[in-house]
């Protein structure tokens, strides 16, 4: 086995989530720097318009991260000290942290093992008089059951803020993700489907939310304060709210504008890789991702295998280490948020609270899926996974 392992080992380490960027981005950034306007300006406005029309929402506000978007969305939705927000524990910590930054309490509900998304039938039971909002997370790019979530929100008068960090390209029942909930937050972090290095976007149909997010994201200065140094002439601004420094730079937006030109091409490439993986792993002791639900588009952000740890006699961490030894980088999405120290100690969450999220936490592993991967990279991943698991099939 060792000898075969050596033969199969890639020459160079395959980084998980390496972004697909090219000379177009390099040129766009260089042009931005040469323009002399590096901060928030015309390129941010252009990126916002591209993204707005891509999602079909009425407004799109660029920020320096999705986390900033989640925070501001909760603030403008009126979440404050003592309020509760219902969300999925199967997410990145920033979903829960954004709630805590508003003084709120993250109330988790368990996920469905098959979709790994929050189970909408559990939401009703988690609602209390303090509940203000629901934050669905479209894990891996698979849209949540938005019909059920929106219906509950409507009945109980709750705001819906979607964490669509994984779901840039996703559609649900004929509507683009970004045009369904009250507010939707996207991420352009380096590992995401579309990248700006760091960056995020919030979409909404409500002008009041849009105006506030723009304002809160730039220190709480009055409208269009970023133009104060432009050729329109200096205008005094007023501070209307003690806001945050969450604005996106034109350098970042320049990358985003180039990336959006290739959003469909990248998705098509990840679909191809996805199909190849599905094919390669059919006979292994793993659960492959479920096909997308009818009348939805999966954004193909993460290809996650659930390792059959009972059959393989190998923990997920051991499996991940062995892939690493073969020079294949992987990710874990996620260790359920309620299992982390802070949330256990602060909110009293413990193992046993959300059995499905825990079950996934122990088994999930994400394989490289970037549109940047060559066919050879994809075969290296497929071969390494097959080599490590075939014997226990
Ligand atoms: C990446 C990610 C975020 C945070 O995005 P940033 O742009 O890095 O702030 C939020 N939620 C989920 C599910 C993520 O994967």
């Amino acid at each position: 086995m060792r000898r075969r392992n050596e033969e199969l080992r890639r020459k160079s380490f395959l980084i998980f989530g390496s972004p697909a960027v090219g000379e177009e981005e390099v040129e766009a950034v260089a042009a931005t720097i040469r323009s002399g306007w590096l901060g928030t300006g015309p390129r941010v406005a252009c990126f916002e318009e591209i993204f707005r029309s891509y999602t079909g929402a009425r407004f799109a506000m660029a920020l320096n991260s999705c986390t900033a978007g989640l925070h501001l969305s909760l603030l403008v939705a009126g979440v404050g000290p003592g309020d509760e927000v219902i969300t999925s524990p199967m997410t990145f910590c920033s979903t829960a942290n954004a709630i805590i930054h508003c003084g709120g309490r993250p109330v988790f509900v368990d996920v469905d093992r098959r979709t790994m998304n929050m189970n909408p039938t559990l939401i009703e039971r988690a609602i209390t008089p303090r509940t203000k909002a629901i934050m669905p997370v479209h894990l891996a790019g698979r849209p949540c059951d938005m019909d059920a979530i929106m219906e509950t929100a409507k009945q109980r008068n709750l705001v819906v803020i979607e964490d669509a960090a994984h779901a840039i390209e996703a559609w649900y029942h004929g509507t683009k993700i970004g045009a369904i909930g009250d507010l939707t937050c996207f991420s352009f972090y380096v590992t995401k489907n579309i990248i700006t290095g760091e960056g995020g976007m919030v979409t909404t149909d409500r002008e009041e939310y849009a105006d506030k997010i723009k304002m809160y994201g730039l220190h709480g200065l009055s409208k269009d304060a970023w133009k104060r140094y432009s050729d329109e002439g200096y205008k005094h601004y007023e501070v209307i709210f003690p806001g945050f420094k969450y604005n996106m730079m034109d350098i970042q937006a320049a990358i985003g504008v180039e990336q959006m030109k290739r959003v469909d091409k990248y998705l098509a490439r990840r679909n191809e890789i996805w199909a190849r993986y599905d094919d390669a792993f059919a006979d292994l002791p793993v659960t492959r991702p479920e096909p997308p639900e009818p009348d939805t588009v999966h954004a193909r952000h993460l290809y996650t295998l659930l390792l059959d740890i009972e059959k393989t006699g190998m923990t997920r961490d051991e499996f991940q280490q062995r892939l690493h030894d073969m020079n294949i980088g992987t990710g874990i999405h996620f260790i359920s948020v309620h299992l982390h120290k802070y949330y256990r100690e602060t909110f009293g969450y413990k193992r046993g609270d959300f059995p499905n999220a825990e079950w996934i936490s122990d088994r999930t592993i994400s394989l490289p899926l970037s549109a940047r991967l060559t066919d050879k990279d994809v075969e290296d991943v497929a071969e390494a996974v097959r080599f490590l698991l075939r014997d226990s099939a």
Side-chain angles (χ1 to χ4, degrees), residues 40 62-63 72 212-228 237-248:
T40 304
L63 297 166
L72 295 186
K212 277 192 175 163
I213 284 177
K214 267 275 154 193
M215 196 228 305
Y216 288 13
L218 192 64
H219 308 291
L221 309 187
S222 51
K223 213 172 173 213
D224 292 337
W226 63 269
K227 287 186 189 158
R228 66 194 180 279
Y237 56 81
E238 274 220 283
V239 178
I240 292 167
F241 177 84
F244 302 87
K245 181 66 177 174
Y246 283 168
N247 54 308
M248 179 182 275

Side-chain angles (χ1 to χ4, degrees), residues 320-333:
Q320 183 179 36
Q321 183 58 50
R322 289 195 196 175
L323 280 172
H324 183 93
D325 293 343
M326 295 177 84
N327 266 340
I328 307 289
T330 56
I332 305 298
H333 304 89

Side-chain angles (χ1 to χ4, degrees), residues 159-220:
V159 180
V160 175
I161 299 166
E162 292 166 65
D163 181 336
H166 299 179
I168 291 172
E169 303 88 344
W171 287 72
Y172 177 84
H173 295 184
T175 308
K176 181 75 196 58
I177 292 295
I180 300 176
D182 296 283
L183 297 131
T184 307
C185 305
F186 298 88
S187 174
F188 310 120
Y189 176 65
V190 279
T191 59
K192 301 286 155 71
N193 290 353
I194 291 294
I195 68 106
T196 60
E198 298 284 359
M201 190 80 75
V202 182
T203 58
T204 185
D205 279 352
R206 271 183 63 174
E207 192 163 11
E208 179 208 341
Y209 287 157
D211 286 348
K212 277 192 175 163
I213 284 177
K214 267 275 154 193
M215 196 228 305
Y216 288 13
L218 192 64
H219 308 291

Side-chain angles (χ1 to χ4, degrees), residues 65-96:
S65 73
C66 176
T67 306
L70 294 167
H71 181 200
L72 295 186
S73 294
L74 287 157
L75 274 182
V76 303
V79 173
D83 290 337
E84 294 174 3
V85 178
I86 297 171
T87 190
S88 169
M90 190 40 67
T91 185
F92 186 55
C93 62
S94 75
T95 320

